[in-house]
Amino acid sequence: MNNNIINNNSANDISHMINIEKSVLSSFLFEPNLFERVHNELNQNSFCFESHKLIFDCMKKLHEKGFPIDEDFIRKYVDKRVSDTVLIDLMSCNPITNVKSYIKQIQENHKQRELQSISFKINQLILKSGSDEAIKNATLELNKISSLYEEKEKKTKDNSIINLDKLSPFLSNLVKDLIKINDYPASMVLSTVLASMAGLIGARAQITNNINITVYPVIWSIIVAPSSLAAKSTLYRYTKKSIFGNLQNELYEEYEGKLEQYKIDMKNYRELSKEDKRNEIEPEKPEPKLLVFQNDGTPEAKIKSLQDNQNGGIVYYDEMRAELEKTNNDKSYKALKTSVFDGELLHKRLVNGGSIILKRPVLCEVGLITEQWLLEVVNKNDIASGFMARYLFSYNTRSDFNPLQIKDFVINTDIYAEVGNFIINMFDFDREQPVLFELSKEAKEFYKKWFNEYSVSVYETETDEEITSTYRLTTYVLKFALISYIFNNSYQKIDVVKSDNMLEIPLEYIKEGIYIMEIFTEENHKILQLFQKNKMLNFKINSIAEKVQKKIRASKDKKISKTEATTGIRDLTAEKLDELIEQGLFKSEKIDRTTYIYEVV
């Protein structure tokens, strides 16, 4: 750093700059996914102090090579000019949540230093060339400073991972509308919407791949996000209105009417003589019909609700912590939840006699939890056993949200709710048997080929815990296809009695399901990295470069096509693969229009 600039700053200013830079670098170290999202907003010169420049440069190179940004790798690859004292100081610094604000401050500090540098140069230039030449040069330099971070900010905003236009009309339009409410991350909205759509269908429909898999549209979602900033209540409220409309309120009104009649019937029954009561059946107290289940109460209460509503529904948890604690404190409840996810018949004997039989225990759920609470309530064996792999995760940090704003925006929920209302009427609320949907011949062959190739790739590159998660997500492809098909085609009045081609899922919906799965594979990868960082995995997740290497070595000819490389490897995109090639870790060669990737020997 220029000594003139140091001299122009007070000791307090310098100390403040050091702390800000340390906080940001420490946050990158403790949350590597954060570096992925925001590193383009900084460069090496953004940092004032030489050691911080070198550490950031090391992080960037590790990221480009697909290596993890952690203590071991930084110690191994960082410039020798960075002392251990600096690294220890950095690692002892507490990470921050409002990293965006700190990055802005680093940018402003950088601009200020550049201005001070220009001021010094102008004074020198005036002495040599006069004021006119100095003003001309100063104007050029000032323009450069004002646009110092514009290009990078634009680049970051344009780098959209999720292309909503690739989704089917109903899903695409609804997600776009809900995002507008408060600029929610797309994966957060998708996880809420998909679980809600699945909950409305419940056990009224199934899908088969025509070979070996038949599943109900059960979707469990967890949104990991800062509690208040995520504004989950608003998202849940509008999602419920859009999918369920007034259906649940109408069911409650129907229940209240039956309850009033029950009270009258019960009063009349009590007034009967003992002899007359022998010839009469005591009135049975009605239970409310549910599409949206209560999120409180005991596990036994949930079983009773499912018994009274055999086609299931959805439950929303404003705070997921208590529910996850229940599953870990009660083995029988965890077993029940596993059965519910799989839709298996459940027979539970009651302590006081009798039993409860759930023919099709199907219940979707969506909940929100903070990162810290997730780490506190999840057990290591929950991940190893695959229990947590049943969830679709949407992982969001504070930097993914904008400040909450009051907006003059109201989504027209009625146009979406009409679809949900028709679907319930079409399938019948109290349907006895599910309607079975199957894949069209074209969709079946595509799904089979995709799954087999994807499975081989996963087997070659992923750890046991990653594989468990991946295979769960592949079954979600069928569920996504079924849900999307039903909601997009309900206007055609699907004949759920007559078995014809209207019960076949076309290829386009399988392709959409695979794309949605890819979105949540990335989200799931962030969660696995979080668990790894907190020593909650049994196996170390390999870097992208190591996975590509393993895939090449497993191939017959020790080469793979670029398409094969980007298929089945978590977090690998064509752009990242190009970067690995540019770094000299791999080489590419084009043969007959196909680009092949080789390992550099």
Side-chain angles (χ1 to χ4, degrees), residues 352-364:
N352 297 324
S355 59
I356 290 178
I357 297 176
L358 303 180
K359 296 178 183 177
R360 304 184 302 280
V362 167
L363 188 63
C364 298

Side-chain angles (χ1 to χ4, degrees), residues 5 48 80 83 128 130 144 179 186 207 212-213 215 246 250 265 289 298 301 327 332 346 360 381 384 429 444 515 541:
I5 296 174
C48 180
K80 300 300 180 186
S83 69
K128 291 181 181 180
K144 286 181 184 178
I179 284 175
I207 183 171
N212 63 337
I213 300 174
V215 291
N246 290 318
E250 290 170 3
D265 294 342
K289 291 183 178 180
T298 63
T327 61
S332 64
L346 180 78
R360 304 184 302 280
N381 60 3
F429 185 91
K444 171 191 167 184
Y515 179 65
I541 298 175

Side-chain angles (χ1 to χ4, degrees), residues 80-341:
K80 300 300 180 186
R81 287 174 287 172
V82 178
S83 69
D84 272 354
T85 304
V86 172
L87 287 174
I88 291 169
D89 192 32
L90 186 69
M91 286 180 279
S92 64
C93 182
N94 291 326
I96 51 176
T97 54
N98 57 334
V99 72
K100 282 277 190 180
S101 300
Y102 278 59
I103 286 174
K104 289 292 182 188
Q105 187 61 57
I106 289 175
Q107 292 174 346
E108 289 303 316
N109 289 344
H110 182 199
K111 290 178 182 179
Q112 193 64 37
R113 294 195 304 274
E114 292 296 330
L115 286 172
Q116 291 179 20
S117 177
I118 289 172
S119 177
F120 177 77
K121 289 176 183 177
I122 288 172
N123 288 332
Q124 298 297 314
L125 195 60
I126 288 173
L127 294 174
K128 291 181 181 180
S129 308
S131 60
D132 290 343
E133 185 69 19
I135 290 170
K136 180 180 176 182
N137 278 276
T139 302
L140 291 172
E141 292 295 331
L142 287 170
N143 286 336
K144 286 181 184 178
I145 293 172
S146 64
S147 60
L148 199 56
Y149 291 98
E150 281 182 6
E151 184 179 348
K152 289 178 173 54
E153 287 172 0
K154 182 177 183 296
K155 207 171 175 184
T156 303
K157 289 175 184 176
D158 290 344
N159 187 23
S160 177
I161 297 173
I162 300 175
N163 181 1
L164 296 176
D165 292 328
K166 292 180 72 171
L167 303 178
S168 55
F170 183 92
L171 191 55
S172 175
N173 291 329
L174 178 55
V175 171
K176 285 177 181 177
D177 270 352
L178 290 171
I179 284 175
K180 291 175 188 174
I181 296 172
N182 207 51
D183 298 322
Y184 296 110
S187 67
M188 179 175 169
V189 178
L190 260 177
S191 64
T192 308
V193 167
L194 286 165
S196 300
M197 293 165 73
L200 183 130
I201 296 169
R204 297 172 185 85
Q206 281 182 298
I207 183 171
T208 177
N209 68 346
N210 306 47
I211 303 173
N212 63 337
I213 300 174
T214 301
V215 291
Y216 288 102
V218 179
I219 293 180
W220 292 357
S221 295
I222 292 181
I223 298 166
V224 182
S227 188
S228 298
L229 201 60
K232 80 276 186 186
S233 298
T234 306
L235 176 59
Y236 287 177
R237 184 169 67 253
Y238 275 94
T239 301
K240 281 193 277 189
K241 282 184 179 179
S242 298
I243 302 301
F244 297 97
N246 290 318
L247 282 169
Q248 186 59 67
N249 289 336
E250 290 170 3
L251 290 171
Y252 280 135
E253 289 172 8
E254 179 185 326
Y255 162 70
E256 287 172 354
K258 288 181 178 179
L259 191 60
E260 286 302 315
Q261 186 59 51
Y262 163 76
K263 290 176 181 177
I264 295 171
D265 294 342
M266 197 65 195
K267 180 177 180 293
N268 292 336
Y269 178 79
R270 290 194 187 101
E271 291 174 352
L272 292 174
S273 64
K274 287 184 179 180
E275 186 177 338
D276 289 338
K277 282 181 179 177
R278 293 193 190 100
N279 299 321
E280 291 288 335
I281 298 173
E282 183 176 340
E284 186 176 346
K285 187 177 181 179
E287 293 290 341
K289 291 183 178 180
L290 300 176
L291 282 168
V292 180
F293 283 61
Q294 300 302 308
N295 61 15
D296 55 1
T298 63
E300 289 72 21
K302 187 174 289 186
I303 294 174
K304 184 66 171 67
S305 293
L306 277 169
Q307 182 190 35
D308 297 326
N309 298 273
Q310 290 279 350
N311 283 309
I314 186 170
V315 55
Y316 295 91
Y317 298 100
D318 281 347
E319 183 43 68
M320 195 75 179
R321 176 172 182 158
E323 178 64 13
L324 292 177
E325 284 177 333
K326 280 182 189 176
T327 61
N328 279 326
N329 294 334
D330 188 339
K331 290 182 180 179
S332 64
Y333 183 51
K334 183 173 274 190
L336 165 68
K337 292 207 68 169
T338 303
S339 297
V340 167
F341 186 85

Side-chain angles (χ1 to χ4, degrees), residues 25 37 81 157 224 317 337 379 389 437 448 474 497 509 552:
L25 290 172
R37 293 193 291 276
R81 287 174 287 172
K157 289 175 184 176
V224 182
Y317 298 100
K337 292 207 68 169
N379 292 331
F437 288 77
K448 178 182 173 184
T474 59
V497 177
Y509 291 97
I552 291 173

Side-chain angles (χ1 to χ4, degrees), residues 1-2 5 17 21 25 39-58 60 81 103 105-115 117 121 145 148-149 152:
M1 187 173 63
N2 191 312
I5 296 174
M17 281 191 279
E21 293 182 1
L25 290 172
H39 75 278
N40 283 328
E41 297 179 32
L42 296 168
N43 59 61
Q44 196 171 358
N45 291 325
S46 302
F47 294 87
C48 180
F49 297 92
E50 190 63 26
S51 292
H52 293 170
K53 291 177 187 282
L54 297 172
I55 291 170
F56 179 80
D57 184 56
C58 177
K60 189 174 180 183
R81 287 174 287 172
I103 286 174
Q105 187 61 57
I106 289 175
Q107 292 174 346
E108 289 303 316
N109 289 344
H110 182 199
K111 290 178 182 179
Q112 193 64 37
R113 294 195 304 274
E114 292 296 330
L115 286 172
S117 177
K121 289 176 183 177
I145 293 172
L148 199 56
Y149 291 98
K152 289 178 173 54

